[in-house]
Amino acid sequence: MHAPLDYIYIAGSPNALRFLLSTAVGDGQLAIVHLTSTVELTADAQLLCVGDKLQTAVELSGLTNQASGKVVTILGSVSVRGKLVATTKSEFLSNGYFVDYAQTFMRERGQRIAIRLPSDIDAQVLETKDWFIYREDVEQRLTPNAVIEFCLDSAYRYKSSSLYASVVTTGTVVMKTETGRLVHIADVDYQWTEARKNFVIEYLRQFEIESDSVYFGNGGYELSLPRASKKLSFTVPKANEEYAWISSDKNPIHVNPYIADI
């Protein structure tokens, strides 16, 4: 018997709550609003089965200020028998509470950007960047029109809402050859102080191409109006209790109208 995929998120929730209630994120726990949740399965992940023992880990990935309050970002991982099966990301807003900018930061892990350089000149310009470092044990060099994939980890410290105190980006560069073979040709090592942008990311965006990622087995589908219809109607349940019991997400903010109004 397989377990619902929702359980991947639920398994890491206790550790995430410990972060939210800790002094690391400051005050404002009673004003927390759950903004987003994302669960991403690994490429070869198997369905969870009854009897599987899950190992979970979480880390505080971001503490930032927005106009309405501070945002806490928590990353998590779930493994089965020592093998990673999924990663999670959750964001929480502490409405009306802020932290000093000296404490604010954000980390992004595994950001993937695929590019295609249209000419020899573009390849030569990228090679001149001091943050682009060829591996000494690889003879392969950048080739125009080849698909080049960057996998990057970035760490940001804030000085103000619009200025980073520091930016650090590291990662790998993999090029797909004409035969389809992936070759790790270079690494990225970038550090800067007092910047308004991450210049590595901004540079790569100029040549970015669409990713091959598929978010659903059938490629997904589009919600659109039938040609013969002029409106699209949905029936919204009057209460959320049924979903709460099925998913085991019984957070009072979702099922109690008085708490939800706070």
Side-chain angles (χ1 to χ4, degrees), residues 82-129:
K83 185 176 182 181
L84 180 68
V85 295
T87 57
T88 63
K89 180 180 179 180
S90 299
E91 293 181 313
F92 302 86
L93 168 68
S94 192
N95 201 9
Y97 289 81
F98 301 89
V99 292
D100 188 275
Y101 273 103
Q103 297 177 264
T104 56
F105 70 95
M106 176 61 71
R107 287 192 291 264
E108 294 186 4
R109 299 190 185 279
Q111 183 178 13
R112 295 185 178 276
I113 301 177
I115 70 170
R116 182 180 279 114
L117 300 173
S119 68
D120 286 319
I121 293 178
D122 293 312
Q124 292 168 6
V125 171
L126 177 54
E127 289 174 331
T128 63
K129 302 296 182 182

Side-chain angles (χ1 to χ4, degrees), residues 35-229:
L35 294 180
T36 64
S37 289
T38 303
V39 177
E40 184 173 344
L41 300 177
T42 58
D44 57 348
Q46 301 295 318
L47 292 176
L48 299 180
C49 297
V50 174
D52 281 345
K53 293 183 178 181
L54 308 184
Q55 297 84 44
T56 64
V58 298
E59 67 169 303
L60 184 61
S61 177
L63 183 60
T64 60
N65 286 325
Q66 292 187 356
S68 53
K70 65 182 178 184
V71 175
V72 180
T73 304
I74 297 175
L75 297 183
S77 63
V78 178
S79 303
V80 177
R81 293 181 291 276
K83 185 176 182 181
L84 180 68
V85 295
T87 57
T88 63
K89 180 180 179 180
S90 299
E91 293 181 313
F92 302 86
L93 168 68
S94 192
N95 201 9
Y97 289 81
F98 301 89
V99 292
D100 188 275
Y101 273 103
Q103 297 177 264
T104 56
F105 70 95
M106 176 61 71
R107 287 192 291 264
E108 294 186 4
R109 299 190 185 279
Q111 183 178 13
R112 295 185 178 276
I113 301 177
I115 70 170
R116 182 180 279 114
L117 300 173
S119 68
D120 286 319
I121 293 178
D122 293 312
Q124 292 168 6
V125 171
L126 177 54
E127 289 174 331
T128 63
K129 302 296 182 182
D130 56 3
W131 46 262
F132 182 88
I133 306 168
Y134 274 120
R135 295 184 59 187
E136 295 181 357
D137 59 339
V138 177
E139 296 181 359
Q140 194 83 30
R141 292 296 181 259
L142 292 175
T143 305
N145 293 314
V147 176
I148 305 163
E149 298 180 351
F150 290 73
C151 183
L152 305 173
D153 295 336
S154 297
Y156 303 87
R157 288 278 179 182
Y158 291 84
K159 190 169 186 177
S160 68
S161 60
S162 60
L163 182 66
Y164 297 124
S166 65
V167 179
V168 177
T169 295
T170 59
T172 59
V173 184
V174 175
M175 187 170 71
K176 185 179 293 186
T177 66
E178 294 180 354
T179 61
R181 188 167 65 95
L182 297 177
V183 181
H184 179 186
I185 64 169
D187 295 302
V188 172
D189 189 354
Y190 170 80
Q191 298 182 42
W192 203 259
T193 57
E194 295 204 5
R196 297 190 182 276
K197 298 179 180 179
N198 184 328
F199 294 108
V200 173
I201 303 298
E202 292 296 316
Y203 180 82
L204 297 179
R205 293 296 189 201
Q206 303 175 73
F207 307 100
E208 187 174 16
I209 59 177
E210 289 189 7
S211 170
D212 294 331
S213 299
V214 177
Y215 295 98
F216 300 96
N218 62 357
Y221 61 90
E222 182 178 353
L223 287 176
S224 59
L225 292 173
R227 292 184 179 179
S229 175

